[in-house]
Amino acid sequence: HHLQDIGMKINWGPGMFNLLMFNSADENNPLSNKLVREAIEYSLDRETMADTLGQGLYEPLHQMASSIWPGYVEGYNPRPYNVEKARELLAEAGYPTGLKLKVLATDTATDAMSLLIYYMGEAGIEVQPDLADLGRYFGAAFSTGWDDVLLTASGINPDATDLFVHFGPNPQTFTPSCIWKSEEFKKLCDEALDPSFTSAADAMPKIRAAVRQAGEDCLFVPLWRSINACIMHPY
């Protein structure tokens, strides 16, 4: 804002889609239980988190889509902030006294990690932060997998292809076998890639259905859309 006030030109970019991903394919991990994943989502006040981290410029997210993204499902918010509901779900899942989960993030994500520690802690989930250098972080995120939770981000494609590139049945980035995805979600992603669609717009109903299915399954927990800026002299 200060740079704008003194006459600099700010070219705003779409930012990044920030989310939590889970080691949910391991049946021995608590996160394979949908109730635990749902409890995490209910525990997070994403409006306050986005506002705190982004100084009012970040967009809180409640689905695998941003409002600027063509696959956005208008009004869809399956698990708004409700810490009491989070505690109830943890108890129903068999963790009435809470549980501990390790959260892997880059070593620059200290502010976001602090917020996760606070909000998840309020619901009875003790976050054990694992802040990694980029080598170890990307090796885990895109190859070997992680222990419990991954705090991560992905790019935002204007034609909505990032749903498949990052999160679909055959992703190019988040490939670890520890990530569980429902057959329904994968089927909808595949259907959206049907060659009979002649444009991305034609595929949007299927993409929106996949976004909604991801929410129903609580496959991931969307957090916020960050922003990026290129600062230039006005000339």
Side-chain angles (χ1 to χ4, degrees):
H1 293 310
H2 172 67
L3 292 171
Q4 285 179 307
D5 292 342
I6 63 175
M8 301 293 280
K9 178 177 175 57
I10 314 294
N11 290 324
W12 295 104
M16 299 284 282
F17 181 84
N18 291 257
L19 70 156
L20 296 179
M21 301 182 76
F22 303 116
N23 179 356
S24 47
D26 180 358
E27 294 182 355
N28 296 316
N29 192 300
L31 292 161
S32 65
N33 188 332
K34 181 184 175 185
L35 296 176
V36 175
R37 303 195 301 271
E38 289 182 314
I40 292 173
E41 185 162 13
Y42 275 117
S43 76
L44 301 176
D45 181 356
R46 285 165 280 187
E47 280 74 18
T48 300
M49 296 173 80
D51 190 55
T52 300
L53 291 170
Q55 302 180 49
L57 297 173
Y58 286 9
E59 175 192 1
L61 299 180
H62 300 279
Q63 55 181 276
M64 294 293 292
S66 160
S67 62
I68 67 169
W69 196 71
Y72 181 72
V73 181
E74 192 67 41
Y76 183 61
N77 179 3
R79 297 172 197 91
Y81 176 53
N82 187 333
V83 68
E84 293 300 328
K85 179 71 173 177
R87 293 193 188 106
E88 290 173 9
L89 289 171
L90 277 183
E92 187 179 343
Y95 303 98
T97 59
L99 76 163
K100 298 178 182 179
L101 293 174
K102 184 183 288 187
V103 178
L104 174 65
T106 67
D107 53 14
T108 60
T110 53
D111 290 341
M113 184 68 78
S114 295
L115 289 171
L116 292 175
I117 290 169
Y118 171 74
Y119 281 109
M120 290 169 66
E122 288 288 288
I125 302 169
E126 181 183 332
V127 169
Q128 299 175 314
D130 182 11
L131 296 169
D133 63 82
L134 292 182
R136 182 164 70 88
Y137 170 82
F138 281 114
F142 292 162
S143 179
T144 60
W146 53 90
D147 292 329
D148 296 318
V149 182
L150 177 73
L151 170 62
T152 192
S154 69
I156 299 174
N157 298 359
D159 60 359
T161 54
D162 44 320
L163 183 70
F164 320 113
V165 171
H166 300 304
F167 311 111
N170 301 291
Q172 297 173 26
T173 54
F174 296 104
T175 60
S177 59
C178 66
I179 307 169
W180 174 81
K181 299 166 191 173
S182 72
E183 293 304 315
E184 294 82 359
F185 172 74
K186 291 188 287 187
K187 182 173 182 289
L188 286 165
C189 288
D190 281 336
E191 289 176 356
L193 289 169
D194 192 302
S196 65
F197 292 127
T198 57
S199 70
D202 292 339
M204 281 308 143
K206 286 292 184 183
I207 289 175
R208 293 189 187 105
V211 167
R212 181 180 286 274
Q213 188 64 53
E216 295 304 299
D217 296 332
C218 198
L219 294 185
F220 320 105
V221 172
L223 296 174
W224 52 78
R225 176 177 65 85
S226 62
I227 52 103
N228 58 299
C230 179
I231 304 163
M232 305 170 68
H233 282 292
Y235 54 80

